[in-house]
Structures are given as structure tokens and as C-alpha cells.
Amino acid sequence: MIHRITYATFVASLATALLGGVLFVAWQALGLAFGNAYLLTSPNGVFKTVLCIAASIASVAAYVLVHAKSARPAPEGVR
């Protein structure tokens, strides 16, 4: 049960962090391309904070996944 919840949390937070990171870089690239300082610095507020929190949640969930046992039995000969 813990494994399933942690896995879902990991996938959701990792997807949020990765897709948000791509959007963050694209947003700043547009700011550079247009020479607009506002576009360049605007994602540094709440948007960046949300991305950092999502990445932190993904890393903690990955750590828990390594140590949480799956409900599936181990293959024969692997214990």
C-alpha cells in the first residue's frame, strides 16, 4: 500500500518538476530572444518555488521507494 502511494506521488511530482522545468527554460529563452527583462525574471517567483518543492517531493519519494517493500513477492531465488 505504501509502495503504491509513494510510487504515484513520485510519478506525479517528477512529471510536474520536469514539465515545469522545460516551461521555465522556454520562458526564459523567450525573454532572452526578445530582450525583455520582465519575461526573463518573472518565472523566478512562485513558479520556481513550486518547481523546487515538486523536485524535493520526487526525491523524497524516490528514497522511500528504494526502502519500501513492494506487495509483489520477489522472484524465486532473489531474497
Side-chain angles (χ1 to χ4, degrees), residues 19-75:
L19 292 175
V22 169
L23 182 61
F24 184 83
V25 170
W27 195 341
Q28 287 193 324
L30 283 174
L32 282 173
F34 290 122
N36 189 335
Y38 178 73
L39 276 178
L40 192 59
T41 59
S42 61
N44 287 332
V46 175
F47 187 68
K48 185 170 74 172
T49 303
V50 170
L51 292 180
C52 289
I53 291 170
S56 298
I57 290 170
S59 65
V60 170
Y63 178 80
V64 172
L65 276 174
V66 169
H67 297 290
K69 293 187 180 186
S70 155
R72 286 182 262 144

